[in-house]
Amino acid sequence: MPPSTDPIYTGLGQAVRIGTDLLASLVVGGGLGWVADTYLFASEPWGMVAGLILGLAAGIRNAYRSAQRWK
Amino acid sequence: MENPLHPFELHQLVHLSLFGLDISLNKAVLIMWVVVGLAATLLVLGGTSRRLVPTKLQSLAEMLVEFIRGIILDTMGQDGLKFFPLVGTLFVFILFSNLLGLIPGSYTVTSQIVVTGVFALMVYGLSLVLGFLLHGIKFLGILVPPGTPGWLLPLMMPIELISQLARPISLAVRLFANMTAGHVILGVLFGLAITGGVLIGWLPFAFTIAMNALEVGIAFIQAYIFTVLTCVYLGDAMHLHGHEEHAH
């Protein structure tokens, strides 16, 4: 087993994270928007639209932040 | 051809119930016991022989412990070492269940989203509890990235809230999806090898073997990522906005 500072593992570990981070933020954002639409405000479809946009922004911010840690 | 998702279905083997609570045994539970037993045997046997010139088992156990220690020091710093038991247990359990699932006829416990979801919620819940214990109400400041101008706050706070809520989900889904997808691919390729017969079946069979080797790497990397992210989340809760100094 290589040491945990092995660049291959650190690099792969960082890279593999980003895809799921993007997706999860999008799902959470869209989900929150959908909940707001259906149960809180009856504002279909605008809550989900706003939620998806915010989720996308959060996902990109997450990816950007994990790339910053990479240094 | 067999449905490639069929191996993931669980059926009751022994029916048990405790005060009306269904605690029946199924394959996943049994394999989990095997995983715990194997990991405990390796670490206890490797840990009791404290020789200067280590035996094979001892050096394996020492390598494992050093590896986990390295992850913690990298991501959380010296004061993260008090989480060693939790982080180490997670890493060893996930690694062993990923690897054990690659033995044909066995079962991958981590391909059940219940298992990975409970781990992720446990880790994330602990990071929330830790953050509020250490920083009190100031922990909510994690929603405001340092250096945000005031007029951006109404936009940044929902974004940060979403990215916080996405953490346990991405943690759980990543491990579950990687394990499930890998085993579905193995299942499909092996099914092709069976239906293909001798004439062409050797080709998917060769791919099955190559995929199995790749899956060993994925098993290791996914256990590593889960552990690193556990450390990152706990570290974020411990040093609020302080991760710039602790990042390597």
Side-chain angles (χ1 to χ4, degrees), chain A residues 1-5 9-10 12-14 16-17 20-21 24-25 28-29 32 51 54-55 57-58 61-62 65 69-71, chain B residues 63-64 67 70-71 74 95 145 155-156 158-160 162-163 165-166 169-170 174 220-222 224-225 229 232 236 243 248:
Chain A
M1 194 180 287
S4 56
T5 44
Y9 283 110
T10 350
L12 259 180
Q14 297 280 13
V16 176
R17 278 173 56 182
T20 339
D21 275 346
S25 305
V28 169
L32 282 182
L54 282 178
R61 193 176 149 68
N62 262 344
R65 203 171 352 184
R69 257 182 225 271
W70 213 328
K71 284 182 282 196
Chain B
M63 229 160 25
L64 208 59
F67 185 80
I71 296 177
D74 274 357
L95 181 66
L155 186 65
M156 283 313 279
I159 288 181
E160 285 294 315
I162 290 173
S163 75
L165 289 178
I169 294 180
S170 73
R174 181 180 302 113
F220 185 79
I221 295 235
Q222 288 303 324
Y224 171 74
I225 293 176
L229 285 181
V232 168
D236 274 0
H243 49 73
H248 51 100

Side-chain angles (χ1 to χ4, degrees), chain B residues 19 57 76 94 97 128 133 175 191 194 213:
Chain B
F19 305 121
L57 213 57
M76 285 201 278
I94 294 172
S97 42
L128 286 186
L133 276 183
L175 182 57
I194 297 292

